[in-house]
Amino acid sequence: MPRPNWFFCLVPAFLIILCPLPGIPHPHVFISQRTGFVFDDQGLAGFRVSWTFDEMFSVMISEDFDTDHNKTLDSKEVAVIREKAFGYIAPYNYYIHVKIDGTPFEVKFIKEFNAWLDNGIVNYEFFIPCHITALETPKQIVLSPYDPEYYSDIYFPDKAPFNMENTDPFSIKTQTARDKSTLIYYDMVNPMAIFLSFKRK
């Protein structure tokens, strides 16, 4: 799916001159992701995704969408960001790739999108519904954030890359590692992933 016209403005000409990589994609946007695994009484309810962007992308989003230049994003500006600077990644699973017991899960929609500025840095947060009933045997979840076209590099922060909400009824195990079953970026890279298993206590 083609990128929106404004997207290519994110890549200043001097980067293309200084970093010529013919035929090989390389990232122009860098995103630190924290993931919340949200449970309800039945099991997993979904994923709360928080993105913190790099300084260059933040400046460009601010210039384009903070229309009153007050260094905050009001509800109307957030709505435009969702439409113009976020919605186009829907066909890419919103860059959140999930497998449930080895079967890919299609992210059809997101909820509760928000965007804000924190000392000039752009942050997004959104919720992905994914209802999985807990059983007496473990359910296996693999969540890996990546842009398959490598325009954006999404990585986990060193500290607290994920958290859990409402976990008391369940027994949960987690691990962060590379997903050896998946290859991206011209089959050169195994993406980082969060491996989670859960069952009823």
Side-chain angles (χ1 to χ4, degrees):
M1 179 178 176
R3 301 277 165 161
N5 291 336
W6 70 267
F7 183 90
F8 296 97
C9 296
L10 300 181
V11 191
F14 73 87
L15 281 181
I16 299 173
I17 295 170
L18 292 178
C19 306
L21 294 174
I24 303 297
H26 54 285
H28 308 308
V29 179
F30 298 87
I31 305 169
S32 174
Q33 173 173 313
R34 285 186 164 86
T35 308
F37 292 86
V38 181
F39 290 80
D40 59 20
D41 292 341
Q42 301 303 312
L44 185 68
F47 316 104
R48 194 180 313 282
V49 178
S50 299
W51 285 351
T52 300
F53 288 89
D54 64 90
E55 185 175 355
M56 181 177 293
F57 182 82
S58 296
V59 168
M60 293 174 179
I61 288 292
S62 298
E63 290 179 350
D64 286 347
F65 298 106
D66 180 16
T67 53
D68 54 8
H69 305 294
N70 66 349
K71 298 183 181 180
T72 62
L73 299 174
D74 61 33
S75 59
K76 291 182 179 179
E77 292 166 339
V78 170
V80 176
I81 288 174
R82 176 171 181 169
E83 178 187 358
K84 302 291 186 181
F86 179 74
Y88 75 91
I89 66 174
Y92 302 90
N93 265 16
Y94 294 95
Y95 294 167
I96 306 298
H97 304 271
V98 177
K99 288 181 282 190
I100 303 170
D101 291 334
T103 300
F105 168 76
E106 182 182 357
V107 180
K108 295 182 179 180
F109 65 96
I110 62 99
K111 299 168 56 178
E112 302 169 16
F113 177 83
N114 193 19
W116 67 94
L117 291 169
D118 182 6
N119 291 322
I121 298 300
V122 170
N123 294 264
Y124 290 173
E125 184 174 274
F126 53 97
F127 183 77
I128 298 172
C130 179
H131 298 279
I132 304 171
T133 301
L135 305 174
E136 303 301 320
T137 55
K139 301 294 290 184
Q140 307 289 338
I141 310 298
V142 181
L143 184 149
S144 185
Y146 61 85
D147 172 4
E149 295 187 353
Y150 207 25
Y151 287 96
S152 300
D153 180 20
I154 307 172
Y155 61 92
F156 298 136
D158 293 335
K159 294 183 179 180
F162 59 87
N163 67 286
M164 307 287 161
E165 301 180 28
N166 308 320
T167 60
D168 288 347
F170 312 108
S171 175
I172 297 173
K173 296 181 180 179
T174 59
Q175 180 186 14
T176 302
R178 294 201 176 274
D179 180 4
K180 296 298 181 66
S181 69
T182 301
L183 280 169
I184 58 175
Y185 311 149
Y186 290 87
D187 292 340
M188 295 187 296
V189 176
N190 297 112
M192 290 297 296
I194 301 169
F195 297 80
L196 178 143
S197 68
F198 69 96
K199 65 178 182 178
R200 289 204 171 272
K201 288 182 178 178

